[in-house]
């Protein structure tokens, strides 16, 4: 029932995003969190953290079949809704090819996922406050030449384990499924995945 609840709320969000401009509006909103709160996903956040779950979804991957379907917007809103529900949340930008989360929160990418994986810093040092209580963001860091190799490395698995030990929930924004293998690699390492499709835009073949 957890994924049913998440799917129900994400379907509602897909209707809001169907014009293809919701992500741009969120990035440009001043203050950005007003737009974020207007599109929050409280029911999905509640289901995600249900203590009665046989296997609680502590790590969740958000992806899409193709670019520009609103996956980053959904990942941000889902993470924020969980934080507003009282959980300590880490939003990780694991799109190491075209990272976007940092632009929404106006954060630096000088330290992020790739720096932690390279041993240059720690998760505690690289995570940045988002401006939403209880929500931290781990930006992508500098774009690497070998994203897929990094995401399937043991050091990434250790990073994910560390994140789970320090936060109640971890939400990962990933590249789309269609073009590269990154999202499939990440999906094998998390408790659950959400596939975002855009109303009247995503084709059946893409899904």
């Amino acid at each position: 029932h957890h994924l049913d609840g998440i799917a129900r709320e994400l379907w509602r969000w897909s209707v809001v995003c169907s014009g293809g401009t919701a992500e741009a509006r969120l990035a440009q909103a001043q203050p950005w969190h007003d737009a974020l709160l207007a599109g929050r996903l409280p029911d999905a956040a509640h289901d995600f953290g249900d203590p009665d779950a046989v296997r609680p979804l502590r790590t969740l991957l958000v992806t899409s079949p193709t670019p520009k379907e609103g996956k980053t917007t959904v990942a941000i809103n889902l993470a924020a809704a969980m934080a507003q529900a009282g959980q300590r949340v880490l939003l990780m930008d694991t799109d190491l090819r075209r990272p976007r989360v940092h632009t929404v929160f106006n954060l630096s990418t000088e330290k992020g996922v790739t720096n932690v994986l390279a041993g240059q810093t720690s998760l505690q040092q690289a995570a940045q406050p988002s401006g939403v209580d209880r929500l931290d963001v781990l930006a992508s860091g500098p774009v690497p030449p070998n994203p897929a190799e990094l995401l399937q490395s043991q050091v990434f698995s250790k990073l994910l384990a560390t994140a789970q030990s320090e936060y109640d929930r971890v939400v990962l924004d990933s590249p789309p499924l269609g073009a590269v293998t990154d999202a499939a690699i990440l999906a094998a390492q998390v408790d659950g995945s959400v596939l975002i499709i855009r109303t009247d835009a995503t084709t059946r073949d893409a899904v």
Side-chain angles (χ1 to χ4, degrees):
H1 68 284
H2 294 72
L3 290 178
D4 287 345
I6 292 173
R8 181 174 61 251
E9 290 304 316
L10 293 180
W11 179 84
R12 294 175 189 170
W13 179 256
S14 74
V15 175
V16 176
C17 288
S18 61
T21 59
E23 191 166 350
R25 289 199 305 271
L26 180 58
Q28 295 168 3
Q30 297 294 332
W32 63 264
H33 54 269
D34 289 346
L36 184 151
L37 294 178
R40 65 187 182 275
L41 306 172
D43 290 348
H46 176 271
D47 286 344
F48 184 78
D50 189 340
D52 296 328
V54 175
R55 183 187 179 191
L57 301 178
R58 294 198 57 206
T59 53
L60 184 70
L61 175 73
V62 181
T63 187
S64 60
T66 57
K68 299 182 179 179
E69 300 197 70
K71 66 175 180 60
T72 298
T73 299
V74 172
I76 290 170
N77 278 278
L78 186 56
M82 292 173 190
Q84 291 160 359
Q87 303 173 45
R88 191 154 182 258
V89 183
L90 178 67
L91 175 60
M92 293 177 60
D93 194 345
T94 52
D95 187 341
L96 304 184
R97 299 172 189 272
R98 294 184 177 180
R100 176 157 168 73
V101 171
H102 69 282
T103 64
V104 177
F105 291 97
N106 194 27
L107 299 175
S108 169
T109 58
E110 291 184 4
K111 290 184 179 180
V113 172
T114 55
N115 303 92
V116 177
L117 298 183
Q120 299 169 347
T121 188
S122 65
L123 170 60
Q124 296 88 342
Q125 294 172 326
Q128 303 176 68
S130 67
V132 176
D133 289 344
R134 295 177 296 276
L135 174 60
D136 289 343
V137 173
L138 182 62
S140 64
V143 174
N146 56 340
E149 181 179 336
L150 289 177
L151 294 175
Q152 61 187 343
S153 66
Q154 288 188 344
V155 68
F156 180 81
S157 297
K158 291 180 180 178
L159 169 59
L160 196 56
T162 301
Q164 291 183 75
S165 71
E166 298 187 8
Y167 293 87
D168 299 316
R169 312 292 168 196
V170 182
V171 178
L172 291 75
D173 181 36
S174 82
L177 277 166
V180 293
T181 60
D182 302 20
I185 291 169
L186 290 166
Q189 303 181 61
V190 298
D191 297 328
S193 301
V194 175
L195 182 67
I196 304 303
I197 60 174
R198 198 171 72 182
T199 306
D200 297 327
T202 306
T203 66
R204 186 180 298 273
D205 289 342
V207 176

